[in-house]
Amino acid sequence: RTFRLGEEPEKTPRRELFPMVMKYSPCHDMCDGKVTDLRFVESRARTWPEAADGLVQRLQQSGARQGQVLSIDAHTGKPNEEAIFSAHYSPQLPDGGPLRLLYKVEEAPDCRWSSFYSRVSSQIVQKDIISLTASCSRNRNWVMYCFYYDRARALHKIEYVESAAPNWSLASNEIIQKLYDANVKAGQVICIDAHSNPAGGPVVFSAHYSKALPGTGPLGITC
């Protein structure tokens, strides 16, 4: 099923689905900066591969087209519960033809998130990335998925910053500041992802960006 905002499935409280939204100011630089028709699909399964395949299928069934997917997020209620992916898209964005969506995955035992970022970033250059998203998993494992369109993009180097804090508000403010400190411009941020550690501890944001992308002015990200 395809949901519009305000029609979320009752199984997951709204505050858990949408704890916060990060956006450019002005917002998305397509459609004259005005995206008013934002929709999402969700996939839940016993394993991450089943949930990822289910999400791709649901996006294709929803009628989403190439270039219209804004973000994909991986999350779970607890490490041993079902794997969940959600994807947001807008039919207002330019139609690039039939949706051709691929993904890569990394999974490892309990480790530092930064080792995931470095390893995955080196493998996904020249890909048209939609999202890099991570979550804790079963048996203290961690997973990171990279979803991308089946077409090349001139990204020769992908970099990242990370923030960790006792709560989501502090962590979100810190990740935005780190992007400013790195002199990242509007149009150069690929994705921002929220995740936490399987055994507790600080909450984490990661942001991936590429300065090979054309900068369109000051960053202007708000949360």
Side-chain angles (χ1 to χ4, degrees):
R1 180 184 173 188
T2 301
F3 299 91
R4 292 174 183 253
L5 293 185
E7 300 176 347
E8 299 87 351
E10 294 181 0
K11 187 173 182 179
T12 303
R14 183 181 178 87
R15 64 179 178 275
E16 294 180 14
L17 277 170
F18 305 109
M20 57 185 62
V21 176
M22 289 194 180
K23 63 179 181 178
Y24 283 116
S25 180
C27 66
H28 207 284
D29 58 359
M30 297 182 183
C31 296
D32 299 323
K34 298 176 182 178
V35 176
T36 57
D37 187 359
L38 183 62
R39 307 180 188 185
F40 78 94
V41 294
E42 182 186 74
S43 173
R44 296 173 178 246
R46 186 177 59 86
T47 67
W48 289 104
E50 290 173 323
D53 290 342
L55 185 81
V56 173
Q57 183 179 26
R58 282 169 172 76
L59 277 169
Q60 291 171 336
Q61 292 171 343
S62 75
R65 306 283 284 177
Q66 196 91 335
Q68 294 181 342
V69 182
L70 290 166
S71 65
I72 297 174
D73 186 67
H75 44 280
T76 186
K78 294 180 181 178
N80 291 317
E81 292 186 355
E82 61 188 348
I84 307 169
F85 283 101
S86 61
H88 287 76
Y89 68 97
S90 175
Q92 285 181 275
L93 298 179
D95 181 344
L99 181 63
R100 300 184 305 277
L101 193 62
L102 302 174
Y103 66 81
K104 293 178 67 71
V105 60
E106 285 282 338
E107 183 170 5
D110 194 354
C111 62
R112 293 178 61 85
W113 285 117
S114 58
S115 65
F116 263 131
Y117 308 149
S118 298
R119 186 162 63 247
V120 173
S121 295
S122 66
Q123 297 174 1
I124 56 176
V125 293
Q126 296 185 334
K127 296 192 184 308
D128 193 356
I129 301 165
I130 299 168
S131 181
L132 281 160
T133 180
S135 176
C136 55
S137 184
R138 297 175 183 270
N139 302 318
R140 297 180 64 85
N141 281 3
W142 298 5
V143 295
M144 175 170 276
Y145 275 76
C146 174
F147 289 87
Y148 57 96
Y149 292 119
D150 184 16
R151 62 188 181 193
R153 193 179 193 186
L155 298 180
H156 303 295
K157 184 179 181 181
I158 298 173
E159 302 175 81
Y160 69 89
V161 290
E162 179 191 66
S163 68
N167 61 64
W168 293 111
S169 179
L170 289 174
S172 63
N173 289 335
E174 184 179 336
I175 197 69
I176 292 171
Q177 186 59 52
K178 287 192 173 186
L179 285 168
Y180 279 107
D181 292 344
N183 199 31
V184 180
K185 304 299 184 184
Q188 295 179 336
V189 178
I190 299 169
C191 59
I192 298 175
D193 189 59
H195 37 278
S196 57
N197 296 306
V203 297
V204 180
F205 277 98
S206 61
H208 285 76
Y209 62 92
S210 175
K211 292 186 177 179
L213 294 173
T216 59
L219 187 58
I221 283 184
T222 59
C223 177

